[in-house]
Amino acid sequence: MYVSARADYAVRAMLAIAAGEPALVKAAALARTQEIPLSFLQGILLDLRRAGLLHSHRGTDGGYTLARSAGEVTVGDVLRAVSGSLTTVRGLPADDATYHGVATGLRDVWLAVHAAIEQVVDSTSLADLLPGRRPGALTRNRLP
Amino acid sequence: MYVSARADYAVRAMLAIAAGEPALVKAAALARTQEIPLSFLQGILLDLRRAGLLHSHRGTDGGYTLARSAGEVTVGDVLRAVSGSLTTVRGLPADDATYHGVATGLRDVWLAVHAAIEQVVDSTSLADLLPGRRPGALTRNRLP
DNA sequence: ATCGTTCCTATTGAACAGGTAGGGAATATC
DNA sequence: GATATTCCCTACCTGTTCAATAGGAACGAT
């Protein structure tokens, strides 16, 4: 179970842009405050824009802004935008895994893991994570 | 969220060895029936033995056998044996992630994901996945 | 229309996962 | 004890991800 640098950076960038609303936030500012390599970040921002999560504006006083409000964007949306499928097994989406013989039941494990992850990231919006909100909005999702 | 080839192969190998009990199972037989590259598999089996999950026997009619019974080994045990930490963010254990500024809340998301995954893999033993058991032992963990 | 700023793209190199090859060490059979 | 079989270990190759650099294209302000 591995969260890639792309995925981590993408959520942090979206949070920083959401926190700057309604002003535009520059890529260079994101890279500085969140300690993300600028060139790498630019590729991630491009993916987020192509996925329809960001609007970009060029020229002086340009930058990025959210395409939807922070409450309408979930962490899962961001992860899917930069990683394709949310959960992959050996590089393929969890659904596509086919097992032979005694390992047939393993498929259900990965599907259960996928569902468990989905339940967390799809029920958490960017607004839930921003400071100034009630802390621990997530705690009720932790364990039964 | 990425399940590595090592992790997937490791669980499949453990299942195949468990299914062969009490006979010893050879690495070559595992590679053939589960379609795993033999050389790669040998390195995985070495990790599983060092973690105390397998016993190995050399020479003619050698092979591998479980160190504990199939009911006493969980999927989580296997994953930790080959991957170190169960969940990593940018290569580091989920606990070690430190975030600055507006991204502080993101840490709780990864911890919640970690807990959700843990709940699935630590409550599923190898015996639960073997054929001949009641199917769908996992289904009650899927969703609330 | 020009200038400066910003986003966008292409190229290059380091680090790591996935996969391969071959020699060495231990065990059982003959 | 010689031999065949199997596990054990090390080094190597390849493709992808992560990261750095440099230049080109689009936009707003003056």
Side-chain angles (χ1 to χ4, degrees):
Chain A
M1 314 292 163
Y2 182 78
V3 177
S4 71
R6 277 186 84 81
D8 186 54
Y9 290 158
V11 183
R12 281 157 63 184
M14 290 292 286
L15 283 172
I17 294 170
E21 294 265 84
L24 283 78
V25 180
K26 300 187 208 312
L30 285 174
R32 195 174 344 103
T33 61
Q34 286 297 318
E35 297 177 3
I36 302 173
L38 175 57
S39 57
F40 192 35
L41 174 63
Q42 285 183 327
I44 295 168
L45 292 170
L46 200 61
D47 283 348
L48 293 172
R49 186 183 66 82
R50 290 201 181 112
L53 297 180
L54 289 179
H55 287 153
S56 65
H57 301 275
R58 292 201 253 204
T60 309
D61 294 331
Y64 295 89
T65 186
L66 294 187
R68 308 203 298 265
S69 77
E72 298 175 270
V73 182
T74 68
V75 174
D77 293 334
V78 179
L79 298 181
R80 272 181 276 260
V82 296
S83 303
S85 178
L86 192 60
T87 313
T88 59
V89 179
R90 286 178 52 214
L92 292 92
D95 302 325
D96 296 2
T98 55
Y99 293 103
H100 297 7
V102 295
T104 308
L106 182 54
R107 178 183 159 86
D108 291 337
V109 176
W110 299 143
L111 292 180
V113 167
H114 178 78
I117 294 172
E118 214 166 35
Q119 205 276 325
V120 173
V121 298
D122 284 345
S123 65
T124 306
S125 73
L126 298 181
D128 293 332
L129 299 177
L130 291 177
R133 314 273 165 166
R134 67 201 183 291
L138 266 174
T139 47
R140 77 189 135 76
N141 290 331
R142 288 277 180 75
L143 281 177
Chain B
M1 313 297 160
Y2 181 78
V3 178
S4 69
R6 282 185 78 81
D8 186 56
Y9 290 160
V11 183
R12 283 158 61 184
M14 289 292 286
L15 283 172
I17 294 170
E21 294 265 82
L24 283 78
V25 180
K26 299 189 211 307
L30 286 174
R32 192 173 349 101
T33 61
Q34 286 299 315
E35 298 177 4
I36 302 173
L38 175 58
S39 316
F40 193 36
L41 175 63
Q42 286 183 326
I44 296 168
L45 292 170
L46 202 60
D47 283 347
L48 293 172
R49 186 184 66 83
R50 289 200 182 112
L53 297 179
L54 288 179
H55 287 154
S56 65
H57 301 276
R58 291 201 255 202
T60 310
D61 294 332
Y64 296 90
T65 186
L66 294 185
R68 308 202 298 266
S69 77
E72 297 175 271
V73 181
T74 69
V75 174
D77 293 333
V78 179
L79 297 180
R80 271 181 276 260
V82 295
S83 302
S85 178
L86 192 60
T87 314
T88 60
V89 179
R90 285 179 55 214
L92 292 91
D95 301 326
D96 295 3
T98 56
Y99 293 102
H100 298 7
V102 296
T104 309
L106 183 54
R107 178 184 159 84
D108 291 337
V109 176
W110 298 143
L111 292 180
V113 167
H114 178 78
I117 294 171
E118 213 165 35
Q119 205 276 325
V120 173
V121 299
D122 283 345
S123 65
T124 306
S125 73
L126 297 181
D128 293 332
L129 299 177
L130 291 177
R133 314 273 165 167
R134 67 200 181 292
L138 266 174
T139 48
R140 75 189 136 77
N141 290 330
R142 287 276 180 78
L143 282 177

Short mmCIF file of all heavy atoms in Angstrom, two decimals, chain A residues 8 12 15 129 138 142, chain B residues 89 93-99 103-114:
data_model
loop_
_atom_site.label_atom_id
_atom_site.label_comp_id
_atom_site.label_asym_id
_atom_site.label_seq_id
_atom_site.Cartn_x
_atom_site.Cartn_y
_atom_site.Cartn_z
N ASP A 8 0.27 12.68 -3.08
CA ASP A 8 0.45 13.51 -1.89
C ASP A 8 0.57 14.99 -2.27
O ASP A 8 -0.11 15.85 -1.69
CB ASP A 8 1.69 13.04 -1.14
CG ASP A 8 1.87 13.75 0.20
OD1 ASP A 8 0.94 13.73 1.01
OD2 ASP A 8 2.95 14.35 0.41
N ARG A 12 -1.99 18.33 -1.40
CA ARG A 12 -1.44 19.50 -0.72
C ARG A 12 -1.61 20.75 -1.55
O ARG A 12 -1.93 21.83 -1.03
CB ARG A 12 0.03 19.24 -0.39
CG ARG A 12 0.21 18.35 0.82
CD ARG A 12 1.54 17.66 0.84
NE ARG A 12 2.67 18.58 0.92
CZ ARG A 12 3.94 18.21 0.87
NH1 ARG A 12 4.23 16.92 0.77
NH2 ARG A 12 4.90 19.09 0.94
N LEU A 15 -5.20 21.88 -1.44
CA LEU A 15 -5.51 22.50 -0.15
C LEU A 15 -4.98 23.93 -0.10
O LEU A 15 -5.67 24.85 0.38
CB LEU A 15 -4.89 21.67 0.99
CG LEU A 15 -5.64 20.39 1.36
CD1 LEU A 15 -4.83 19.57 2.35
CD2 LEU A 15 -7.00 20.71 1.92
N LEU A 129 -10.65 19.60 5.65
CA LEU A 129 -9.25 19.53 6.10
C LEU A 129 -8.65 20.89 6.40
O LEU A 129 -7.58 20.98 7.00
CB LEU A 129 -8.40 18.84 5.02
CG LEU A 129 -8.80 17.40 4.68
CD1 LEU A 129 -7.93 16.87 3.57
CD2 LEU A 129 -8.70 16.53 5.91
N LEU A 138 -12.51 13.66 10.79
CA LEU A 138 -12.22 12.33 10.27
C LEU A 138 -12.32 11.24 11.31
O LEU A 138 -12.48 10.08 10.98
CB LEU A 138 -10.79 12.31 9.71
CG LEU A 138 -10.62 12.57 8.23
CD1 LEU A 138 -9.16 12.65 7.92
CD2 LEU A 138 -11.29 11.51 7.42
N ARG A 142 -12.34 6.54 11.54
CA ARG A 142 -11.14 5.75 11.84
C ARG A 142 -11.42 4.28 12.05
O ARG A 142 -11.02 3.44 11.30
CB ARG A 142 -10.47 6.29 13.13
CG ARG A 142 -9.81 7.60 12.95
CD ARG A 142 -8.42 7.47 12.38
NE ARG A 142 -7.82 8.79 12.22
CZ ARG A 142 -7.35 9.52 13.24
NH1 ARG A 142 -7.39 9.04 14.47
NH2 ARG A 142 -6.83 10.70 13.03
N VAL B 89 3.75 6.78 2.56
CA VAL B 89 3.45 7.98 1.79
C VAL B 89 4.78 8.55 1.31
O VAL B 89 5.64 8.90 2.12
CB VAL B 89 2.71 9.02 2.65
CG1 VAL B 89 2.43 10.28 1.85
CG2 VAL B 89 1.43 8.45 3.21
N PRO B 93 6.88 5.68 6.12
CA PRO B 93 5.70 5.21 6.86
C PRO B 93 4.72 6.35 7.09
O PRO B 93 5.13 7.50 7.27
CB PRO B 93 6.30 4.72 8.19
CG PRO B 93 7.71 4.36 7.86
CD PRO B 93 8.13 5.32 6.79
N ALA B 94 3.43 6.02 7.08
CA ALA B 94 2.40 7.05 7.16
C ALA B 94 2.54 7.91 8.42
O ALA B 94 2.22 9.10 8.41
CB ALA B 94 1.01 6.39 7.12
N ASP B 95 3.04 7.34 9.50
CA ASP B 95 3.17 8.09 10.74
C ASP B 95 4.23 9.19 10.64
O ASP B 95 4.12 10.22 11.31
CB ASP B 95 3.57 7.15 11.89
CG ASP B 95 2.55 6.04 12.08
OD1 ASP B 95 1.36 6.31 11.86
OD2 ASP B 95 2.96 4.93 12.43
N ASP B 96 5.25 8.96 9.81
CA ASP B 96 6.38 9.88 9.77
C ASP B 96 6.11 11.14 8.95
O ASP B 96 6.93 12.06 8.94
CB ASP B 96 7.61 9.17 9.19
CG ASP B 96 8.08 8.05 10.09
OD1 ASP B 96 7.42 7.81 11.11
OD2 ASP B 96 9.09 7.41 9.78
N ALA B 97 4.99 11.18 8.25
CA ALA B 97 4.71 12.33 7.39
C ALA B 97 4.43 13.57 8.24
O ALA B 97 3.64 13.54 9.17
CB ALA B 97 3.53 12.03 6.48
N THR B 98 5.13 14.65 7.92
CA THR B 98 4.87 15.92 8.61
C THR B 98 4.51 16.96 7.55
O THR B 98 5.18 17.08 6.53
CB THR B 98 6.11 16.39 9.39
OG1 THR B 98 7.22 16.48 8.50
CG2 THR B 98 6.44 15.42 10.50
N TYR B 99 3.46 17.73 7.83
CA TYR B 99 2.97 18.68 6.86
C TYR B 99 3.00 20.09 7.42
O TYR B 99 2.86 20.29 8.62
CB TYR B 99 1.54 18.31 6.44
CG TYR B 99 1.49 17.01 5.67
CD1 TYR B 99 1.09 15.83 6.29
CD2 TYR B 99 1.87 16.97 4.35
CE1 TYR B 99 1.06 14.64 5.58
CE2 TYR B 99 1.85 15.79 3.63
CZ TYR B 99 1.44 14.63 4.26
OH TYR B 99 1.43 13.46 3.56
N ALA B 103 -1.76 22.27 4.93
CA ALA B 103 -1.85 20.84 4.64
C ALA B 103 -1.79 19.98 5.90
O ALA B 103 -1.78 18.76 5.81
CB ALA B 103 -0.73 20.43 3.68
N THR B 104 -1.77 20.62 7.05
CA THR B 104 -1.62 19.88 8.30
C THR B 104 -2.67 18.77 8.45
O THR B 104 -2.36 17.67 8.90
CB THR B 104 -1.71 20.84 9.49
OG1 THR B 104 -0.82 21.94 9.28
CG2 THR B 104 -1.37 20.13 10.78
N GLY B 105 -3.91 19.07 8.04
CA GLY B 105 -4.99 18.11 8.20
C GLY B 105 -4.85 16.86 7.35
O GLY B 105 -5.50 15.84 7.61
N LEU B 106 -4.01 16.93 6.33
CA LEU B 106 -3.87 15.80 5.41
C LEU B 106 -3.32 14.57 6.12
O LEU B 106 -3.67 13.44 5.77
CB LEU B 106 -2.96 16.18 4.24
CG LEU B 106 -2.77 15.14 3.16
CD1 LEU B 106 -4.09 14.64 2.61
CD2 LEU B 106 -1.89 15.69 2.04
N ARG B 107 -2.49 14.81 7.11
CA ARG B 107 -1.93 13.70 7.88
C ARG B 107 -3.02 12.77 8.40
O ARG B 107 -2.91 11.54 8.34
CB ARG B 107 -1.12 14.27 9.04
CG ARG B 107 -0.52 13.24 9.95
CD ARG B 107 0.19 13.92 11.13
NE ARG B 107 0.36 13.02 12.25
CZ ARG B 107 1.36 12.16 12.37
NH1 ARG B 107 2.27 12.11 11.42
NH2 ARG B 107 1.44 11.36 13.40
N ASP B 108 -4.12 13.37 8.91
CA ASP B 108 -5.21 12.56 9.45
C ASP B 108 -5.88 11.70 8.39
O ASP B 108 -6.38 10.62 8.68
CB ASP B 108 -6.25 13.48 10.10
CG ASP B 108 -5.72 14.12 11.38
OD1 ASP B 108 -4.78 13.56 11.97
OD2 ASP B 108 -6.23 15.18 11.76
N VAL B 109 -5.88 12.19 7.15
CA VAL B 109 -6.47 11.40 6.06
C VAL B 109 -5.67 10.14 5.84
O VAL B 109 -6.22 9.04 5.78
CB VAL B 109 -6.54 12.21 4.75
CG1 VAL B 109 -7.05 11.34 3.61
CG2 VAL B 109 -7.42 13.42 4.92
N TRP B 110 -4.34 10.31 5.76
CA TRP B 110 -3.51 9.12 5.51
C TRP B 110 -3.58 8.16 6.69
O TRP B 110 -3.57 6.95 6.50
CB TRP B 110 -2.06 9.53 5.25
CG TRP B 110 -1.85 10.40 4.04
CD1 TRP B 110 -0.95 11.43 3.92
CD2 TRP B 110 -2.51 10.34 2.76
NE1 TRP B 110 -1.03 11.99 2.67
CE2 TRP B 110 -1.98 11.35 1.94
CE3 TRP B 110 -3.52 9.54 2.24
CZ2 TRP B 110 -2.41 11.57 0.63
CZ3 TRP B 110 -3.96 9.75 0.93
CH2 TRP B 110 -3.40 10.76 0.15
N LEU B 111 -3.67 8.70 7.90
CA LEU B 111 -3.79 7.81 9.06
C LEU B 111 -5.12 7.07 9.04
O LEU B 111 -5.19 5.89 9.40
CB LEU B 111 -3.65 8.61 10.36
CG LEU B 111 -2.25 9.18 10.61
CD1 LEU B 111 -2.22 9.96 11.92
CD2 LEU B 111 -1.21 8.07 10.64
N ALA B 112 -6.19 7.74 8.60
CA ALA B 112 -7.49 7.08 8.50
C ALA B 112 -7.47 6.00 7.44
O ALA B 112 -8.03 4.91 7.62
CB ALA B 112 -8.57 8.11 8.20
N VAL B 113 -6.81 6.28 6.32
CA VAL B 113 -6.67 5.28 5.26
C VAL B 113 -5.89 4.08 5.79
O VAL B 113 -6.26 2.92 5.58
CB VAL B 113 -5.96 5.87 4.03
CG1 VAL B 113 -5.54 4.77 3.06
CG2 VAL B 113 -6.87 6.87 3.32
N HIS B 114 -4.80 4.39 6.49
CA HIS B 114 -3.98 3.32 7.07
C HIS B 114 -4.82 2.42 7.99
O HIS B 114 -4.77 1.20 7.90
CB HIS B 114 -2.82 3.93 7.85
CG HIS B 114 -1.95 2.93 8.54
ND1 HIS B 114 -1.00 2.18 7.87
CD2 HIS B 114 -1.90 2.54 9.82
CE1 HIS B 114 -0.40 1.37 8.73
NE2 HIS B 114 -0.94 1.57 9.91
#
